[in-house]
Amino acid sequence: MNPIISFVNYLQSQQTAQSYLCHCYTQLKLPDPEAKSYENCNAFIYYLNHGNRFYQQGRKSDPFMQPILYFYGMVHFIKACLLTKRPNYPESTNLLAHGVTARKRKKKDYTFMNDEVKVQHNGLFPYFSEHLYEQTIPFEKRSMKHLLAVIPEMNQLFQFQGEHKMVPVGKQYSKLLEFPAHLLDSYHLTDTAFIRRIQPYLPNIKYYDYDDRMIRMEVTDPVKKVTGPFFVHSSTEQLFFPLKREDYLSIHEVMVHYLILYNLSMLCRYETEWWGDLFVAKPDIDYPFILYFLELTSTKMPLLLGGNLYDQRKKL
């Protein structure tokens, strides 16, 4: 079993959860970490337990129902992660909202790929983006196609229809990266401006060289902590980078999945006719993209969110 999944299972007792939270709160320098960890350990266990159950039931269910189950599984895992960093969560009722809205009325020629979600100022999405990933959201709204475009595993589906969205540039835990030189044309940047653009998301760049084929660089430390515009393929551990400026997105992949799953769960619940037709008639390209995304998110999100907990562990 993957060590992250094993660790999440290990935390689902009062003794292990309390000890783990006490460690987290000690790192935060709270005045009484032991008391606060006792106060929060049951909520922490239930968040993990509910998250696991939603994902388990989702994998057993027809894809027709999966968006709701996976979205709420993800929400519960996010809340467990938040309790390790924000011991008083939720501090206000504003945080109980999802923090995202979808278009209420769908146009006659509606397609999922062109649909958009809009980010709210309050709610879970901006809150966990800030406190789990230290990120502000660099857009007000974003289309499903642009969100799917930065998920490495979805790249192959885009390639089947003649679109290349991402390119592998190295491997996680490596110090070496290589970018195709034609990226500079797409981003309308010189090589030095491109280096300045990506430097904040990498360890310090030790050196780089540039010719008409490739931009090669070495960073001072292995690339461990990964966030957009770099994204990791779950099977190969390859680092992917968006090929086009329009797809460049500097947010964590957990945030990407949250936005897509939110929209899918809303379609599943409220757009009855369109959602039913999607699974019966399979009318357009939306169907394979949605189906493959649901299969991917069911395994990738528990690992990415469980990784947040795993990375804070100590020898218990």
Side-chain angles (χ1 to χ4, degrees):
M1 183 180 285
N2 185 291
I4 292 174
I5 301 300
S6 298
F7 187 67
V8 171
N9 291 337
Y10 168 78
L11 290 175
Q12 292 180 55
S13 76
Q14 287 186 343
Q15 180 181 354
T16 54
Q18 185 273 322
S19 178
Y20 173 74
L21 287 176
C22 187
H23 163 68
C24 294
Y25 297 161
T26 301
Q27 300 301 110
L28 293 172
K29 296 182 168 56
L30 291 187
D32 194 348
E34 190 164 352
K36 199 66 182 177
S37 63
Y38 274 112
E39 181 183 327
N40 283 343
C41 71
N42 281 342
F44 180 73
I45 292 167
Y46 289 138
Y47 284 145
L48 291 179
N49 183 263
H50 290 184
N52 270 330
R53 288 188 176 196
F54 274 114
Y55 275 109
Q56 288 165 5
Q57 288 303 313
R59 294 183 199 111
K60 295 174 185 175
S61 299
D62 190 280
F64 187 87
M65 289 297 297
Q66 285 176 347
I68 299 172
L69 296 167
Y70 292 154
F71 179 69
Y72 284 107
M74 185 178 191
V75 165
H76 281 91
F77 271 125
I78 287 170
K79 289 179 178 179
C81 292
L82 282 171
L83 270 189
T84 68
K85 295 179 180 290
R86 304 292 294 178
N88 296 316
Y89 171 82
E91 292 94 328
S92 75
T93 55
N94 287 338
L95 301 178
L96 301 179
H98 295 312
V100 192
T101 58
R103 188 184 292 141
K104 293 291 184 283
R105 294 184 118 187
K106 306 304 179 187
K107 298 177 181 177
K108 190 175 180 181
D109 57 350
Y110 171 82
T111 65
F112 174 73
M113 299 292 274
N114 292 326
D115 198 6
E116 294 178 329
V117 288
K118 187 175 181 180
V119 175
Q120 302 295 293
H121 294 297
N122 296 310
L124 182 61
F125 181 68
Y127 185 83
F128 86 74
S129 299
E130 177 186 356
H131 294 295
L132 293 186
Y133 302 111
E134 299 176 349
Q135 293 189 321
T136 55
I137 300 141
F139 54 83
E140 181 185 353
K141 54 187 177 180
R142 196 78 173 175
S143 76
M144 296 297 102
K145 184 174 183 178
H146 283 125
L147 290 169
L148 289 165
V150 296
I151 300 175
E153 294 85 350
M154 303 299 299
N155 192 47
Q156 192 168 57
L157 268 69
F158 282 106
Q159 288 178 353
F160 289 150
Q161 57 178 13
E163 296 183 75
H164 293 265
K165 294 293 186 181
M166 305 196 85
V167 61
V169 296
K171 295 202 78 169
Q172 193 175 14
Y173 308 112
S174 171
K175 295 183 180 181
L176 302 176
L177 298 170
E178 290 187 336
F179 301 81
H182 62 76
L183 274 179
L184 300 180
D185 296 329
S186 171
Y187 282 81
H188 308 298
L189 294 172
T190 64
D191 56 310
T192 52
F194 179 74
I195 296 299
R196 284 198 302 271
R197 170 75 70 91
I198 63 173
Q199 173 64 90
Y201 309 102
L202 294 169
N204 290 329
I205 295 173
K206 188 174 181 181
Y207 80 88
Y208 84 93
D209 63 64
Y210 163 58
D211 58 34
D212 59 356
R213 288 186 58 256
M214 204 70 68
I215 304 167
R216 301 173 186 84
M217 67 182 66
E218 181 179 352
V219 293
T220 53
D221 299 297
V223 182
K224 295 178 183 177
K225 187 178 179 182
V226 178
T227 186
F230 295 92
F231 297 87
V232 181
H233 193 291
S234 54
S235 300
T236 64
E237 293 189 339
Q238 284 181 300
L239 290 177
F240 278 73
F241 189 86
L243 271 171
K244 298 177 181 178
R245 184 180 183 179
E246 66 192 45
D247 294 322
Y248 180 90
L249 194 56
S250 56
I251 66 173
H252 196 279
E253 189 172 342
V254 167
M255 298 162 66
V256 174
H257 284 243
Y258 183 95
L259 293 174
I260 298 171
L261 272 177
Y262 169 82
N263 201 24
L264 284 173
S265 70
M266 295 297 283
L267 290 169
C268 179
R269 281 178 283 178
Y270 301 118
E271 296 296 328
T272 311
E273 186 175 350
W274 186 88
W275 190 251
D277 192 50
L278 176 75
F279 285 91
V280 174
K282 306 176 178 64
D284 52 37
I285 195 69
D286 288 345
Y287 179 76
F289 273 84
I290 289 171
L291 209 65
Y292 188 66
F293 170 77
L294 288 171
E295 182 181 347
L296 171 68
T297 198
S298 71
T299 54
K300 192 169 189 179
M301 281 306 98
L303 287 174
L304 285 182
L305 288 164
N308 288 345
L309 304 176
Y310 187 75
D311 291 342
Q312 296 181 76
R313 74 196 186 281
K314 66 168 187 175
K315 293 180 180 178
L316 297 170

